[in-house]
Amino acid sequence: MPDSSQKTTPDLPLFRQIVEHIRSQINDGRLNAHSALPSERALAEDHGVSRMTARRALEAIEAEGLAYSEERRGRFVSPRRLTYNVNSMSNFVADAKQQNIDVEVELIESKEVTADTRLAELLTIVEGASIIERTRLFHSNDHTIFFETEFIAPDLCPDLRKHGSDELLTERYGTLGHTADIVVRMGSIKPTDAARLNVTPWQVGIEQEQIVKDRSGKAFCFVRQIWRGELVQFSTQAIENRES
Amino acid sequence: MPDSSQKTTPDLPLFRQIVEHIRSQINDGRLNAHSALPSERALAEDHGVSRMTARRALEAIEAEGLAYSEERRGRFVSPRRLTYNVNSMSNFVADAKQQNIDVEVELIESKEVTADTRLAELLTIVEGASIIERTRLFHSNDHTIFFETEFIAPDLCPDLRKHGSDELLTERYGTLGHTADIVVRMGSIKPTDAARLNVTPWQVGIEQEQIVKDRSGKAFCFVRQIWRGELVQFSTQAIENRES
DNA sequence: ACAAAAATCTGGTATATACCAGTAATTTGC
DNA sequence: GCAAATTACTGGTATATACCAGATTTTTGT
């Protein structure tokens, strides 16, 4: 005779039941953002299951974006998503401030490289031309939420070298761009990128590519962003089709 | 002394090596879109590893979007991504045709429901008001790539009842909408939704929400789409900030 | 020829165990 | 008191095994 005193959801796999248990703790606020989840071994003990089963539960929670893991440190509750309006060219940092989210920018790399075939085509410059490559990390609450690598053709943007200020180096190109063609897709985060975001390699994230154009419609900058997908959502606006 | 005859990438976990092996087969075209990957047991045999290790490899391939699985049938190679331009209100199906992708629409549910709190707020109608709810599947090559559930307030859209044609029921609202506020986010696919897409529950996908407005700026339709994230990318355009 | 039954194959779940390499807390030696 | 060494703990990888239930294929009986 089955025990009806315990109200277990019927037909739900063990590890799913554990997921639901933890999910409710997160939703109730018993587990706050960035606080540690129980370890695999502790969770196994608590629920009387094997470590592998507990691990499957925690991996599922991660996959859902409810938590993130830091290798050999533990798993932690994800903070709430921030919204990124891709429709305006406004500074992302300023945008975040309006949402009362504190974002810090850290320039981690800045070098001059030569354009490969793809970049040359995108920016309509000759292959092998000089390109400024800059990589910035974007933090919120001491956690990296995404990074971007931008490639700017200096010839196409003469103001750039003059404004060698810290501000321009760390902040976005801002007012320089007029329009940008953007592509957003889901994809797994490769080890190099994962290290920058301090997340587990190969977990799913969001990749964004921008081709920034000046007032004349000429592309002068290519940006590639890698986001921790569970921490962001993108907003945009569709407008009625103009005549074909 | 280590064996240098076999060129294994150093320090790469076993299951990652298997992933790379299969990845190369997919990229080379030895494995075509929708063709079956080796089963967990067969892969384990081939590489001389345990089934669990082979399984981890296949799960990783799935997580990367290189393949999808159908429960108790097998795993299959994902087709190439299609691009969805969220910036225009044009008919998605027509959009796909321009990319030479054949998309079929299947209306699977159509009913009249009452507005809950959230819907009432979004469409600025009273709670409990009548709402038309319709769910459509979008197929390409006999595979479901996404589905949408739309909620239309009939009072706000008097033309709707008249146009009870098959076309309007299966195709998009099309020219009715003027603008739409769109949000795109990553998230795990819940069992109900997974069943519609014929994918494994809880795998990561893309959720899109649209608030469709008419020429006067009044919201009259709410759309929720669930996408198989590995099969799509979203394109949009950013435009220079207008004066604040 | 054809339908029903059986066997096989598939992915999904679950356990128990083992070892590794970093992280973090504790203990030790001075 | 404090730095260094030790220990405990963490997630990551890997194996071997077992059973389930649906999907598919093969065999069987008529």
Side-chain angles (χ1 to χ4, degrees), chain A residues 90-97 101-109 134-150 165-174 223 225 227:
Chain A
S90 76
N91 190 296
F92 169 74
V93 179
D95 232 45
K97 266 180 194 142
I101 296 164
D102 211 40
V103 176
E104 277 181 26
V105 188
E106 181 192 353
L107 182 77
I108 58 165
E109 210 175 343
R134 281 203 282 255
T135 302
R136 303 180 189 83
L137 299 182
F138 291 74
H139 312 277
S140 178
N141 281 97
D142 293 323
H143 294 267
T144 311
I145 47 179
F146 79 99
F147 75 87
E148 69 176 14
T149 304
E150 77 178 7
S165 68
D166 231 29
E167 195 189 342
L168 203 73
L169 283 171
T170 55
E171 300 273 319
R172 296 289 303 279
Y173 35 83
V223 186
Q225 297 179 344
W227 288 75

Side-chain angles (χ1 to χ4, degrees), chain B residues 113-126 131 133 151-152 221-222:
Chain B
V113 296
T114 53
D116 61 15
T117 314
R118 194 196 166 198
L119 261 178
E121 193 174 342
L122 283 173
L123 303 179
T124 55
I125 54 177
V126 293
I131 291 279
E133 174 187 334
F151 302 88
I152 304 186
C221 177
F222 174 74

Side-chain angles (χ1 to χ4, degrees), chain B residues 35-238:
Chain B
S35 66
L37 291 182
S39 74
E40 296 175 358
R41 289 163 177 89
L43 194 63
E45 184 94 5
D46 289 353
H47 287 80
V49 297
S50 73
R51 184 189 155 201
M52 288 309 291
T53 302
R55 182 182 170 77
R56 286 166 62 85
L58 289 166
E59 279 177 339
I61 287 166
E62 257 186 271
E64 288 186 45
L66 287 169
Y68 59 95
S69 91
E70 292 186 20
E71 214 170 82
R72 296 182 190 90
R73 274 195 13 98
R75 291 185 174 86
F76 307 90
V77 179
S78 297
R80 76 170 207 275
R81 285 176 197 264
L82 55 90
T83 302
Y84 180 16
N85 182 0
V86 291
N87 218 211
S88 95
M89 289 293 293
S90 75
N91 188 295
F92 170 74
V93 179
D95 232 45
K97 265 180 195 145
Q98 283 198 326
Q99 296 177 57
N100 276 320
I101 296 163
D102 213 40
V103 175
E104 278 181 27
V105 188
E106 183 193 353
L107 183 77
I108 59 165
E109 210 176 342
S110 181
K111 55 182 178 183
E112 215 156 329
V113 296
T114 53
D116 61 15
T117 314
R118 194 196 166 198
L119 261 178
E121 193 174 342
L122 283 173
L123 303 179
T124 55
I125 54 177
V126 293
E127 208 175 318
S130 180
I131 291 279
I132 296 176
E133 174 187 334
R134 281 203 284 256
T135 302
R136 304 181 189 83
L137 300 182
F138 291 73
H139 311 277
S140 179
N141 281 97
D142 294 323
H143 294 266
T144 311
I145 47 178
F146 79 101
F147 76 87
E148 68 176 15
T149 303
E150 75 177 11
F151 302 88
I152 304 186
D155 303 336
L156 306 176
C157 186
D159 294 342
L160 203 68
R161 289 192 198 271
K162 283 187 272 180
H163 301 82
S165 67
D166 230 29
E167 196 190 342
L168 204 72
L169 283 172
T170 55
E171 301 274 318
R172 296 290 302 279
Y173 36 82
T175 54
L176 289 175
H178 179 55
T179 62
D181 294 329
I182 299 176
V183 174
V184 176
R185 73 175 76 93
M186 214 183 79
S188 68
I189 304 177
K190 281 158 199 49
T192 322
D193 299 340
R196 282 178 174 152
L197 297 175
N198 197 25
V199 296
T200 313
W202 307 103
Q203 81 170 54
V204 183
I206 293 214
E207 185 177 4
Q208 192 192 110
E209 289 182 353
Q210 301 180 0
I211 300 167
V212 186
K213 298 175 176 175
D214 62 21
R215 220 158 293 263
S216 72
K218 179 154 179 51
F220 71 96
C221 177
F222 174 74
V223 186
R224 178 175 163 272
Q225 297 179 343
I226 303 290
W227 289 75
R228 285 177 53 179
E230 81 278 15
L231 298 186
V232 70
Q233 60 183 9
F234 298 89
S235 71
T236 186
Q237 218 195 16

Side-chain angles (χ1 to χ4, degrees), chain A:
Chain A
M1 176 183 147
D3 180 13
S4 61
S5 65
Q6 246 183 303
K7 187 161 182 172
T8 57
T9 316
D11 294 338
L12 208 58
L14 259 177
F15 79 96
R16 279 292 156 205
Q17 295 178 29
I18 299 175
V19 169
E20 294 312 316
H21 183 255
I22 295 178
R23 190 207 308 283
S24 69
Q25 289 188 327
I26 293 175
N27 290 339
D28 290 5
R30 272 173 289 172
L31 283 170
N32 292 98
H34 301 299
S35 67
L37 292 182
S39 73
E40 297 175 358
R41 288 163 176 90
L43 193 64
E45 185 95 3
D46 289 352
H47 287 79
V49 298
S50 73
R51 184 189 153 199
M52 288 310 290
T53 302
R55 181 181 171 77
R56 287 164 61 85
L58 289 167
E59 279 177 339
I61 287 166
E62 256 185 271
E64 287 185 46
L66 287 169
Y68 60 95
S69 93
E70 292 185 21
E71 214 169 82
R72 295 180 191 92
R73 274 192 17 97
R75 290 185 175 84
F76 307 89
V77 179
S78 297
R80 77 169 205 279
R81 286 176 197 265
L82 54 92
T83 301
Y84 180 17
N85 182 1
V86 291
N87 217 210
S88 93
M89 288 293 295
S90 76
N91 190 296
F92 169 74
V93 179
D95 232 45
K97 266 180 194 142
Q98 285 199 324
Q99 295 177 59
N100 276 320
I101 296 164
D102 211 40
V103 176
E104 277 181 26
V105 188
E106 181 192 353
L107 182 77
I108 58 165
E109 210 175 343
S110 181
K111 55 181 177 182
E112 214 156 329
V113 295
T114 53
D116 61 15
T117 314
R118 195 196 168 199
L119 262 178
E121 194 173 344
L122 283 173
L123 304 178
T124 54
I125 54 177
V126 292
E127 209 175 317
S130 180
I131 291 278
I132 295 176
E133 175 186 332
R134 281 203 282 255
T135 302
R136 303 180 189 83
L137 299 182
F138 291 74
H139 312 277
S140 178
N141 281 97
D142 293 323
H143 294 267
T144 311
I145 47 179
F146 79 99
F147 75 87
E148 69 176 14
T149 304
E150 77 178 7
F151 301 88
I152 305 186
D155 303 336
L156 305 176
C157 187
D159 295 342
L160 202 67
R161 289 192 197 270
K162 281 185 273 179
H163 301 83
S165 68
D166 231 29
E167 195 189 342
L168 203 73
L169 283 171
T170 55
E171 300 273 319
R172 296 289 303 279
Y173 35 83
T175 54
L176 289 175
H178 179 54
T179 62
D181 295 328
I182 298 177
V183 174
V184 176
R185 72 175 77 93
M186 212 182 82
S188 68
I189 304 178
K190 283 162 198 45
T192 321
D193 298 341
R196 283 178 173 152
L197 296 176
N198 197 25
V199 296
T200 312
W202 307 105
Q203 82 171 53
V204 184
I206 292 212
E207 184 177 4
Q208 192 193 110
E209 290 181 351
Q210 300 180 359
I211 300 167
V212 186
K213 297 176 176 174
D214 61 20
R215 220 159 291 265
S216 71
K218 177 151 181 54
F220 71 96
C221 177
F222 173 74
V223 186
R224 177 176 163 270
Q225 297 179 344
I226 303 291
W227 288 75
R228 285 178 53 177
E230 81 278 13
L231 298 185
V232 70
Q233 60 183 9
F234 298 89
S235 72
T236 185
Q237 216 194 19
I239 301 163
E240 192 179 24
N241 237 352
R242 289 135 297 244
E243 69 288 349
S244 57

